[in-house]
Amino acid sequence: VRQQAGAFGQGYVLLGGIGGLRHFRQSPCGTDGACNGSETRPGFWDYSGLGGSGGASLRAEVFFGGWYLGARLRYDLGTGQPVFRHGLVLAEGLNHRADGHFLGRIPLTKHSTTAIHLLLDLSYGLRTWTVFENLGASEASRWVMAGSELGGGLGLRIEPGRRIGIELRVGTAGLLGGSPGLNEVQGELALGLRPIGPLAIRVA
C-alpha cells in the first residue's frame, strides 16, 4: 500500500508463518484456591507441555483520518498445544485465532528524520482453546472451545527512515462471558523492513 515517510508506511498486508517453541500450563484449582498437581479424577486436570509449534499467519494494517486512527487485523492458524499425556500427542487438530484492533497513533517527534509514535489500541478477538479433561487415571479427552476476548494494548513504533522500523507492543485481554481466569497477556517485538517501496517484510 501507499508508503509515507516510514518503513511501515500507511499500512501493509502480509502473509507468512509462525513457528517456535511453546510452553502451556493448565492448572485446575478448587474453590478454596488449592491446586492438585497430580489430579487424576474426571474433570479438568493439571498438565504442562513443552514442544514445537507452527502455522500460517495473516497481518493487515491501515491508517486513515489524518494518520491518527487506524485498524489492524490478525488471523493465525496453528497447531495444537504440545501435550504428551494420557494418550494425547502434539498437534492434534488446529487452533484458530482472529483479532481486530482499533488503533490510535500519537506522534512523539516532529520535524525529525526519525518518526516515533505511541500506539493505543482496543481489540476484539475470536479464538479457540483446546481444553483437556480426565476420563480416568490414564485416559484423557480433548475438545475445542470457541470464545470472544476484549482487551487493549500499548505500543511504541520507531521508524528511523523509509527502510526500517521497530515496534514494541504489550497488551492484555480477557474472555467475554466466561470465567475471569481465562485471560492472557500479550507481548510482541517486531522489525519491519521495506527494501523497495511496494515490498514489506515483518519479523516478530
Side-chain angles (χ1 to χ4, degrees), residues 141-159:
S141 66
R142 62 179 298 275
W143 48 280
V144 176
M145 180 189 75
S148 299
E149 287 184 325
L150 184 65
L154 179 67
L156 185 67
R157 176 174 291 180
I158 304 173
E159 295 171 290

Side-chain angles (χ1 to χ4, degrees), residues 104-116:
R105 181 162 67 173
I106 303 173
L108 300 181
T109 58
K110 293 183 178 180
H111 311 295
S112 173
T113 57
T114 299
I116 302 177

